[in-house]
Amino acid sequence: KIISAHSKRCSHNLYITKQKKRDSYILHSHFTNAIMKEWASFLPACLFFPCWLLIGTREDLFADAISTYYPMMIAMILGSMIAGSTPLGGGIIAFPVSVIILNFTSTEGRDFSLMIQSFGMSAASFLIFYKKQHLIAAHTDLLCEFTFFSLIGLVIGMGPVSEVLTPYTVDII
């Protein structure tokens, strides 16, 4: 009977120790997952910036780019604030600056504006898809419709409409 009582007590202590280890592991696992999820938000930047720095330093592009296009850098700081606080994209600032100040043609300004806006919205889309998956699941049909009609508008706007309109009309629009 003494051995039996002792073994019950040991097994109970072993059970409590295992329970504490399991609870500690769950807490540690949850904390680690939360940190990893936050760092994964920076995945596009972690992939893009090293490539950008490597190409820019290897080809010695930074000095020429900064001296030539500094008005665009200043304007895009304002553009990022507008893009982040309104439904307008950064292209609303990029187009006039590129055409009026940097003397791009209206076609180059339009394409650059679309590129800047697409880059920012792609980064935002990544974060929404990654962090707000419940919103995606709730509005899948709406997203499919918007995507379909946006692609139609993109094809029409970049194709036949841009060839028909004069560069001056594009500047005004």
Side-chain angles (χ1 to χ4, degrees), residues 45-90:
C46 291
L47 295 175
F48 172 76
F49 283 123
C51 297
W52 177 73
L53 284 172
L54 177 70
I55 293 170
T57 53
R58 187 181 65 197
E59 302 293 326
D60 197 31
L61 299 173
F62 290 124
D64 290 335
I66 290 171
S67 65
T68 306
Y69 298 111
Y70 73 90
M72 183 60 78
M73 293 186 297
I74 294 168
M76 289 317 298
I77 292 170
L78 176 65
S80 67
M81 290 181 209
I82 289 173
S85 62
T86 67
L88 301 171

Side-chain angles (χ1 to χ4, degrees), residues 4 10 16-17 21 23 40-41 44 50 57 65-66 69-70 72 80 101 107 133 137 143 153 155 162 166:
S4 175
C10 288
I16 290 173
T17 305
K21 282 184 180 180
D23 291 346
S41 302
T57 53
I66 290 171
Y69 298 111
Y70 73 90
M72 183 60 78
S80 67
I101 296 175
T107 305
Q133 293 175 358
L143 287 171
V155 169
S162 66
T166 65

Side-chain angles (χ1 to χ4, degrees), residues 31-172:
F31 182 70
T32 305
N33 288 341
I35 290 174
M36 292 303 289
K37 192 167 189 169
E38 287 300 316
W39 277 103
S41 302
F42 296 103
L43 185 62
C46 291
L47 295 175
F48 172 76
F49 283 123
C51 297
W52 177 73
L53 284 172
L54 177 70
I55 293 170
T57 53
R58 187 181 65 197
E59 302 293 326
D60 197 31
L61 299 173
F62 290 124
D64 290 335
I66 290 171
S67 65
T68 306
Y69 298 111
Y70 73 90
M72 183 60 78
M73 293 186 297
I74 294 168
M76 289 317 298
I77 292 170
L78 176 65
S80 67
M81 290 181 209
I82 289 173
S85 62
T86 67
L88 301 171
I92 198 83
I93 298 295
F95 182 79
V97 170
S98 62
V99 172
I100 295 169
I101 296 175
L102 297 175
N103 296 323
F104 286 6
T105 66
S106 59
T107 305
E108 292 170 340
R110 177 201 64 204
D111 293 346
F112 178 75
S113 171
L114 182 63
M115 180 196 65
I116 289 296
Q117 194 162 343
S118 298
F119 185 81
M121 289 187 165
S122 297
S125 296
F126 173 80
L127 282 176
I128 291 169
F129 278 118
Y130 186 73
K131 290 192 159 218
K132 307 280 185 173
Q133 293 175 358
H134 63 281
L135 293 175
I136 303 300
H139 303 291
T140 304
D141 55 340
L142 191 62
L143 287 171
C144 290
E145 289 177 25
F146 283 157
T147 302
F148 176 73
F149 289 113
S150 295
L151 289 174
I152 291 173
L154 180 70
V155 169
I156 292 171
M158 294 296 279
V161 171
S162 66
E163 293 172 7
V164 171
L165 297 176
T166 65
Y168 179 72
T169 309
V170 173
D171 286 344
I172 292 174

Side-chain angles (χ1 to χ4, degrees), residues 1-13:
K1 290 214 168 212
I2 294 174
I3 295 173
S4 175
H6 178 69
S7 66
K8 283 183 182 179
R9 198 170 355 144
C10 288
S11 67
H12 179 69
N13 288 342

